[in-house]
């Protein structure tokens, strides 16, 4: 640790340097709140650093500095001289009590529906610029880089709409079951919510997730590379129960068509074996009703299958004896192979994993210990094991599985790592309960060629540079 | 008080046992899996829900069962000509898809007139795998029922389910004529649609022979879980070029502002100016004038923003330009309201605004008053 830290300077310039030198009383631990750390370059714009070293801090720049430093400094500059004195004795955030310790807090139900802290404003869904021509036939990506555990907060669940989202009046919503059934039926929400229910945690991943990365590294952060992925607890009626209830034709019924109530009336064909297995006609999501963007008041959840099959605003289920070749299974969501044929009805999301922290666009603050974490999942079963490499796939270490390990659900993994300050390439690789090992991109390309974009479950690489900056790269 | 049915206690006992078992089931994922799919415990009334839900009436099924399958099950009888199709297309589709389905303003081109006679002959579109070529809808689609079904259920995008059966036949006919799959004088009907299917350029272009449909399907790739000395050399083949670092906005603002992994400032070269600009954000950002009072709900839910923006020209004129043009017109509200509901062309150029008949007069007036304020 630097011995300069206890030196009291008189100029503002020295003050700045001093404020960012680790205090001798606080051990240097990355990620610790009480740490007084060296200013990462990224906090200060270059021109400001130069201007400050030339002329010290005038009032105008002090304002500027305050905003750029809010996170690292938390009021030290504002507190002026006393803070300066305090820094020598210890952490000013300990020595000078913050306002929230010295005031009355807000009333209960100030926000009748609770909101995240204002300091979390960066962790939101985002569109990828230029990906789609319109904002209604588009995607917003989940901020995986800022999430923990296996559950996606409902407000952060990724969105994929084809004709905008709608807020359906639940009292006017109906579910119809027709086709090869002994009795075509209609259910209201009241009916459905009276029926026996299940609650299960499942991921939903768009078949096009990581599709932008098929050719080469194209987008900067895990939000855009992998963010068409979310995981929630869904509550609803098992589809098998409803199919039995309507008396589906067990001899001839081979497929179920699901249809939405929105403008696009999205339709998708579901295999009867899937339909009778673990598919849920869901109204609940993470303990509350579905969000409108996620299909309020009723959606299908087809675990392990690409998200487009989990039809939102579900209004109709039809049992049939042949697949339907709807727009999103005959023009899109087909995988073009090197021989010019397109694979139709590619559904299963095979085992995949990604490190979310650290990931592209982030920066490691110092050398030393980091808890590296990420997500693993498989549409064919459970996560058996996750291995992590720090040298681009030469050597691998088995990670801890953190929290519950459930079928067709996200599984959080973590592994301790000490960064020595040298370039490194981080990767994760999942093995699922069928023994399937997450593939390398080059292995996928050998079979699927260069034009396929869906179902890219290749191992993701993040390069850590000497500066600590992490970037999205692909390995040959 | 009601009598507890026989077996009640037994069921409670089973429930408790299950709870204990699943509480123990942490750790090994086999056990966790078992806990997650615990078979339901039946109550004495468990299957007493027969009377929930009701039989659907034939008219109700007819109203919603609109899907059309590749074998044309579900296709209603009707017909429409290429010529009629062109007329409807220009009025209701061209604004977004272009007069010849070739626009990529709203979506990828539907047709580029580039399907070859050989494609039609073989049923395989040769250019699909040519990376220099745009893959259009008509190059990809293998089943004509798909076009019929989709246009009927979802188009026009801003007013889905507003076309008649014959409209849909004529629009499919017009679309197919753009790639010379049918002739200019063709009349498509339920009688001859199978013949058209037999000419569809990519009709033989699909395969269902793969392992991604069934849960126990065969994977494409079998990687091995090698642990040491797995790669002899590690070579970075691609990364984000430095000019594109900021293409998704400043990454610093997309990460949590504390914790071990904070965001890289990707707009460093913009330096101090950026910072000062963001400090002054409050007065700089507010929407001025027209934008501030925009009836966004109406504009969004009626698909207006598909073709219009407040400040910029898109397919239709910018709303600010409209407001300016009619600022001095006495009957501006009445004129604009009527124009919105009836659509039209010629005032701002050749493009046509489709009729917005789904809007009530009241709602159209509301938008018109906003524009005429």
């Amino acid at each position: 640790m630097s011995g300069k830290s206890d030196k009291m300077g008189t100029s503002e310039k020295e003050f700045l340097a001093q404020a960012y030198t680790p205090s001798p009383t606080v051990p240097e631990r990355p990620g610790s709140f009480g740490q007084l750390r060296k200013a990462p370059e990224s906090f200060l714009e270059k021109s400001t650093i130069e201007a400050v070293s030339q002329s010290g801090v005038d009032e105008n720049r002090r304002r500027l500095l305050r905003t750029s430093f809010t996170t690292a400094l938390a009021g030290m500059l504002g507190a002026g001289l006393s803070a300066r004195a305090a820094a020598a004795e210890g952490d000013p955030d300990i020595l000078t009590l913050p306002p929230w310790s010295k005031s009355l807090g807000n009333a209960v139900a100030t926000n009748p529906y609770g909101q995240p802290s204002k300091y979390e404003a960066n962790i939101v869904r985002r569109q990828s610029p230029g990906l789609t021509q319109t904002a209604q036939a588009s995607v917003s990506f989940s901020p995986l880089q800022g999430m923990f555990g296996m559950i996606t907060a409902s407000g952060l669940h990724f969105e994929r709409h084809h004709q905008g989202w709608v807020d359906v009046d639940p009292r006017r919503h109906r579910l119809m079951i027709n086709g090869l059934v002994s009795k075509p039926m209609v259910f209201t929400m009241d009916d459905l919510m009276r029926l026996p229910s299940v609650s299960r945690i499942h991921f939903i991943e768009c078949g096009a997730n990581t599709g932008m990365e098929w050719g080469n590294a194209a987008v900067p952060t895990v939000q855009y590379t992998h963010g068409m992925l979310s995981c929630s607890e869904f509550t609803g009626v098992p589809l098998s129960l409803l199919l039995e209830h309507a008396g589906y034709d067990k001899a001839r019924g081979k497929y179920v068509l699901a249809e939405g109530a929105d403008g696009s009336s999205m339709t998708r064909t579901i295999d009867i074996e899937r339909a009778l297995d673990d598919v849920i006609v869901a109204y609940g999501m993470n303990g509350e009703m579905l969000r409108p963007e996620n299909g309020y008041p009723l959606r299908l959840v087809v675990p392990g299958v690409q998200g487009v099959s989990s039809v939102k605003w579900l209004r109709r289920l039809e049992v049939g004896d042949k697949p339907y070749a709807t727009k999103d299974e005959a023009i899109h969501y087909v995988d073009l192979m090197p021989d010019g044929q397109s694979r139709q009805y590619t559904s299963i999301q095979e085992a995949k994993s990604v490190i979310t922290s650290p990931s592209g666009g982030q920066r490691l603050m110092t050398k030393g210990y980091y808890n590296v974490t990420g997500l693993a999942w498989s549409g064919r079963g459970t996560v058996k094991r996750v291995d992590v490499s720090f040298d681009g796939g030469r050597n691998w270490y088995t990670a801890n599985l953190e929290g519950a390990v459930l079928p067709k659900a996200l599984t959080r993994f973590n592994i301790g790592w000490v960064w020595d300050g040298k370039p490194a390439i981080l990767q994760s690789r999942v093995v699922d309960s069928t023994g399937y090992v997450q593939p390398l991109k080059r292995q996928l390309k050998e079979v699927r060629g260069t034009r396929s974009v869906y179902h890219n479950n290749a191992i993701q690489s993040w390069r850590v540079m000497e500066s600590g900056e992490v970037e999205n790269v692909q390995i040959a | 008080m009601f009598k507890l049915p026989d077996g009640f206690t037994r069921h409670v006992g089973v429930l408790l046992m299950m709870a204990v078992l699943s509480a123990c089931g942490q750790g090994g994922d086999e056990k966790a899996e078992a806990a997650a799919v615990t078979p339901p415990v039946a109550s004495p009334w468990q299957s007493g829900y027969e009377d929930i839900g009701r039989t659907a009436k034939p008219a109700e099924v007819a109203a919603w069962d609109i899907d059309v399958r590749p074998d044309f099950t579900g296709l209603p009888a009707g017909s429409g000509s290429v010529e009629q199709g062109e007329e409807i297309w220009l009025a209701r589709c061209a604004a977004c898809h272009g007069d010849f389905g070739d626009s990529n303003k709203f979506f990828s081109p539907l047709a580029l007139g580039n399907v070859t006679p050989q494609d039609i002959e073989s049923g395989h579109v040769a250019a699909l795998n040519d990376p220099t070529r745009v893959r259009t809808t008509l190059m990809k689609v293998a089943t004509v029922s798909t076009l019929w079904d989709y246009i009927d259920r979802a188009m026009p995008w801003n007013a889905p389910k507003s076309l008649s059966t014959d409209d849909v036949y004529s629009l499919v006919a017009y679309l197919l004529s753009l790639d010379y799959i049918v002739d200019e004088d063709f009349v498509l009907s339920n009688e001859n649609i199978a013949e058209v299917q037999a000419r569809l350029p990519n009709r033989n272009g699909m395969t269902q022979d793969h392992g991604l449909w069934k849960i126990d399907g065969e994977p494409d790739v079998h990687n091995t879980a090698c642990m040491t000395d797995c790669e002899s050399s590690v070579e970075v083949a691609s990364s984000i070029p430095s000019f594109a670092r900021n293409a998704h906005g400043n990454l610093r603002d997309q990460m949590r502002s504390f914790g071990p992994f904070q965001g890289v400032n990707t707009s460093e070269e913009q330096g101090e100016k950026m910072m000062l600009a963001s400090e002054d954000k409050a007065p700089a950002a507010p929407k001025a004038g027209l934008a501030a009072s925009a009836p966004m709900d109406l504009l969004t839910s009626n698909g207006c923003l598909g073709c219009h923006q407040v400040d910029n020209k898109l397919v239709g004129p910018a709303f600010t330009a409209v407001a300016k043009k009619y600022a001095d017109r006495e009957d501006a509200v009445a004129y604009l309201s009527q124009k919105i509901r009836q659509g039209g062309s010629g005032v701002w150029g050749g493009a046509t605004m489709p009729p917005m008949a789904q809007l009530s007069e009241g709602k159209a007036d509301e938008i018109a008053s906003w524009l005429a304020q």
Side-chain angles (χ1 to χ4, degrees):
Chain A
M1 243 150 285
S2 167
K4 280 184 297 184
S5 56
D6 53 354
K7 200 170 86 192
M8 279 284 283
T10 44
S11 76
E12 293 283 355
K13 183 181 165 191
E14 275 169 323
F15 163 55
L16 274 178
Q18 182 267 336
Y20 283 92
T21 314
S23 147
T25 57
V26 182
E28 191 176 21
R29 261 197 313 121
S32 137
F33 283 93
Q35 173 198 9
L36 297 179
R37 60 194 160 202
K38 206 155 167 272
E41 295 157 47
S42 60
F43 271 16
L44 268 189
E45 311 296 341
K46 267 203 191 77
S47 55
T48 312
I49 297 175
E50 276 155 25
V52 169
S53 19
Q54 277 157 25
S55 53
V57 178
D58 61 33
E59 200 46 44
N60 201 16
R61 289 209 170 71
R62 188 193 292 272
R63 247 174 22 122
L64 165 66
L65 286 165
R66 198 182 304 150
T67 48
S68 25
F69 281 123
T70 33
T71 53
L73 257 189
M76 273 188 68
L77 284 167
L81 267 176
S82 61
R84 197 192 305 177
E89 291 158 35
D91 183 347
D93 280 331
I94 296 174
L95 299 178
T96 311
L97 285 179
W100 49 87
S101 300
K102 301 179 76 177
S103 58
L104 177 61
N106 300 306
V108 296
T110 301
N111 301 323
Y113 193 99
Q115 298 294 312
S117 159
K118 62 177 186 246
Y119 301 106
E120 293 299 309
N122 290 352
I123 308 302
V124 291
R125 298 190 283 224
R126 291 188 173 83
Q127 279 183 267
S128 181
L131 181 61
T132 57
Q133 293 96 324
T134 70
Q136 283 112 334
S138 192
V139 185
S140 74
F141 296 79
S142 283
L144 303 183
Q145 70 277 15
M147 289 163 33
F148 311 109
M150 67 194 292
I151 298 288
T152 306
S154 296
L156 297 179
H157 195 294
F158 81 92
E159 297 170 280
R160 172 73 173 109
H161 316 305
H162 287 263
Q163 218 146 328
W165 61 270
V166 288
D167 200 355
V168 171
D169 180 346
R171 288 160 307 186
R172 298 186 56 200
H173 188 70
R174 303 287 181 272
L175 175 68
M176 183 182 287
I177 304 186
N178 72 314
L180 299 175
V181 293
S182 59
K183 175 168 104 155
M185 294 193 76
V186 171
F187 299 88
T188 60
M189 288 306 297
D190 303 351
D191 294 332
L192 293 167
M193 293 167 86
R194 277 175 75 191
L195 288 170
S197 59
V198 292
S199 289
R200 295 199 200 107
I201 296 174
H202 289 299
F203 74 80
I204 295 184
E205 181 185 21
C206 178
N209 198 23
T210 323
M212 288 186 279
E213 295 280 303
W214 189 264
N216 49 273
V219 287
T221 76
V222 72
Q223 177 156 23
Y224 308 107
T225 58
H226 288 75
M228 285 195 256
L229 170 73
S230 297
C231 183
S232 305
E233 184 194 55
F234 291 102
T235 299
V237 187
L239 176 57
S240 57
L241 186 151
L242 290 172
L243 292 175
E244 288 283 353
H245 199 52
Y248 79 97
D249 185 330
K250 292 187 178 153
R252 290 192 301 147
K254 297 270 182 283
Y255 302 95
V256 174
L257 181 78
E259 177 177 88
D262 61 317
S264 83
S265 292
M266 168 63 72
T267 36
R268 286 280 299 179
T269 305
I270 293 144
D271 187 72
I272 194 82
E273 279 172 46
R274 284 291 80 248
L276 293 172
D277 182 6
D278 49 7
V279 176
I280 307 172
V281 175
Y283 42 81
M285 176 168 156
N286 297 332
E288 59 183 4
M289 283 296 290
L290 292 162
R291 296 286 172 95
E293 301 95 308
N294 304 118
Y296 181 92
L298 197 67
R299 81 175 300 170
L300 206 60
V301 174
V302 187
V305 166
Q306 58 181 338
V308 62
S309 291
S310 290
V311 171
K312 296 184 284 188
W313 312 289
L314 181 71
R315 77 164 191 184
R316 195 170 68 93
L317 295 160
E318 176 179 307
V319 181
D321 57 358
K322 290 193 184 137
Y324 291 82
T326 69
K327 187 262 273 178
D328 288 297
E329 45 198 32
I331 301 173
H332 309 283
Y333 302 91
V334 294
D335 308 16
L336 182 58
M337 303 300 282
D339 65 358
Q341 294 294 100
S342 296
R343 285 176 167 181
Q344 209 172 8
Y345 306 111
T346 47
S347 298
I348 304 291
Q349 295 297 106
E350 294 185 297
K352 183 165 167 180
S353 72
V354 65
I355 294 173
T356 54
S357 333
S359 56
Q362 297 183 332
R363 184 196 292 273
L364 274 57
M365 290 297 176
T366 70
K367 295 179 203 174
Y369 181 85
Y370 288 95
N371 180 42
V372 172
T373 93
L375 293 165
W377 63 102
S378 168
R380 297 201 203 262
T382 48
V383 167
K384 260 279 164 313
R385 200 177 92 205
V386 179
D387 301 316
V388 173
S389 172
F390 300 96
D391 57 8
R394 281 194 189 86
N395 298 294
W396 296 83
Y397 306 88
T398 299
N400 302 302
L401 300 185
E402 177 181 315
V405 180
L406 299 173
K408 304 174 191 172
L410 295 188
T411 300
R412 175 67 59 175
F413 65 86
N414 69 47
I415 185 166
W417 179 51
V418 172
W419 182 46
D420 59 9
K422 300 209 180 77
I425 294 176
L426 275 55
Q427 300 177 329
S428 66
R429 181 186 69 195
V430 61
V431 184
D432 75 6
S433 49
T434 69
Y436 175 84
V437 182
Q438 185 180 3
L440 299 158
K441 171 66 77 51
R442 62 171 186 260
Q443 294 175 311
L444 283 176
K445 275 192 175 168
E446 266 165 35
V447 183
R448 300 189 193 159
T450 53
R451 302 280 274 155
S452 174
V453 292
Y454 297 101
H455 306 289
N456 175 7
N457 65 330
I459 290 172
Q460 168 71 38
S461 306
W462 304 119
R463 173 162 66 186
V464 178
M465 294 181 288
E466 267 168 340
S467 63
E469 220 176 293
V470 185
E471 64 165 357
N472 179 13
V473 298
Q474 294 197 3
I475 303 297
Chain B
M1 215 179 104
F2 69 98
K3 188 172 169 287
L4 284 178
D6 297 341
F8 180 80
T9 44
R10 185 168 53 88
H11 285 298
V12 172
V14 172
L15 271 173
L16 282 174
M17 274 298 293
M18 297 306 296
V20 171
L21 281 178
S22 57
C24 304
Q26 283 158 17
D29 46 10
E30 228 114 42
K31 283 186 210 148
E33 196 169 350
V37 295
T38 302
V41 181
S43 85
W45 310 282
Q46 194 61 38
S47 48
Y49 52 80
E50 283 89 1
D51 62 337
I52 296 182
R54 65 169 174 86
T55 305
K57 300 195 164 79
E60 294 172 333
V61 175
W64 275 13
D65 185 358
I66 57 170
D67 62 86
V68 179
R69 260 181 7 186
D71 62 2
F72 306 116
T73 305
L75 181 69
S79 68
S81 66
V82 170
E83 206 184 329
Q84 289 157 332
E86 180 173 20
E87 203 173 300
I88 306 169
W89 180 273
L90 292 176
R92 309 207 54 193
C93 321
C96 294
H97 292 297
D99 287 358
F100 304 102
D102 55 345
S103 166
N104 65 358
K105 226 181 215 156
F106 282 77
F107 198 64
S108 332
L110 305 183
L112 288 170
N114 58 0
V115 160
T116 67
Q118 290 88 323
D119 293 338
I120 294 179
E121 179 71 29
S122 69
H124 283 107
V125 173
L128 273 179
N129 247 339
D130 178 347
T132 64
R133 297 277 288 275
V134 176
R135 283 182 270 178
T136 66
T137 306
L138 287 187
M139 287 164 74
K140 293 192 280 183
V141 70
T143 34
V144 69
S145 61
T146 307
L147 294 175
W148 206 103
D149 173 281
Y150 181 66
I151 292 173
D152 181 50
R153 74 173 55 244
M155 287 293 134
W157 200 49
N158 50 310
K161 303 179 192 70
S162 60
L163 299 168
S164 73
T165 295
D166 288 348
D167 287 350
V168 179
Y169 275 106
S170 39
L171 286 164
V172 172
Y174 175 71
L175 196 52
L176 294 169
S177 77
L178 295 172
D179 265 351
Y180 315 110
I181 300 161
V182 302
D183 291 332
E184 278 167 35
D185 54 4
F186 191 73
V187 182
L188 178 69
S189 73
N190 54 306
E191 304 282 335
N192 64 13
I193 195 166
E195 292 156 34
V196 172
Q197 171 63 36
R199 283 179 57 78
L200 212 59
N202 203 38
R203 65 187 174 278
N204 298 323
M206 296 286 164
T207 172
Q208 292 172 30
D209 180 19
H210 56 76
L212 289 176
W213 171 241
K214 297 280 181 185
I215 190 152
D216 53 0
E218 183 62 22
D220 280 341
V221 169
H222 295 275
N223 194 9
T224 51
C226 167
M227 294 304 281
T228 45
D229 296 331
C230 305
E231 300 277 340
S232 48
S233 77
V234 172
E235 193 193 315
V236 170
S238 77
S239 58
I240 312 283
S242 50
F243 67 80
R245 266 161 63 89
N246 206 33
H248 281 68
N250 193 343
L251 302 180
R252 181 195 57 196
D253 302 334
Q254 304 185 20
M255 308 290 165
R256 192 165 275 116
S257 57
F258 57 91
F261 309 118
Q262 296 173 23
V264 173
N265 183 355
T266 45
S267 60
E268 245 154 340
E269 58 287 351
Q270 317 215 8
E272 193 168 351
K273 248 202 217 118
M274 275 286 295
M275 294 298 295
L276 286 168
S278 71
E279 269 224 308
D280 292 338
K281 216 184 214 152
K287 298 177 187 162
L290 209 55
S293 56
M296 287 311 282
D297 278 359
L298 280 177
L299 298 178
T300 309
S301 61
N302 286 289
C304 315
L305 300 179
C307 293
H308 293 280
Q309 287 183 348
V310 176
D311 294 318
N312 298 301
K313 182 180 168 353
L314 213 56
V315 176
F319 283 134
T320 44
V322 176
K324 201 162 154 214
K325 184 176 176 91
Y326 299 106
D328 300 328
R329 186 166 162 160
E330 295 265 306
D331 64 339
V333 173
Y335 167 78
L336 288 171
S337 175
Q338 193 195 19
K339 172 88 178 226
I340 291 168
R341 279 164 52 84
Q342 293 180 353
S345 67
V347 179
W348 297 90
T352 306
M353 160 141 165
M356 298 282 140
Q358 80 280 6
L359 267 177
S360 69
E361 250 168 74
K363 302 283 186 213
D365 282 350
E366 197 180 316
I367 300 175
S369 318
W370 161 65
L371 287 168
Q373 68 182 262

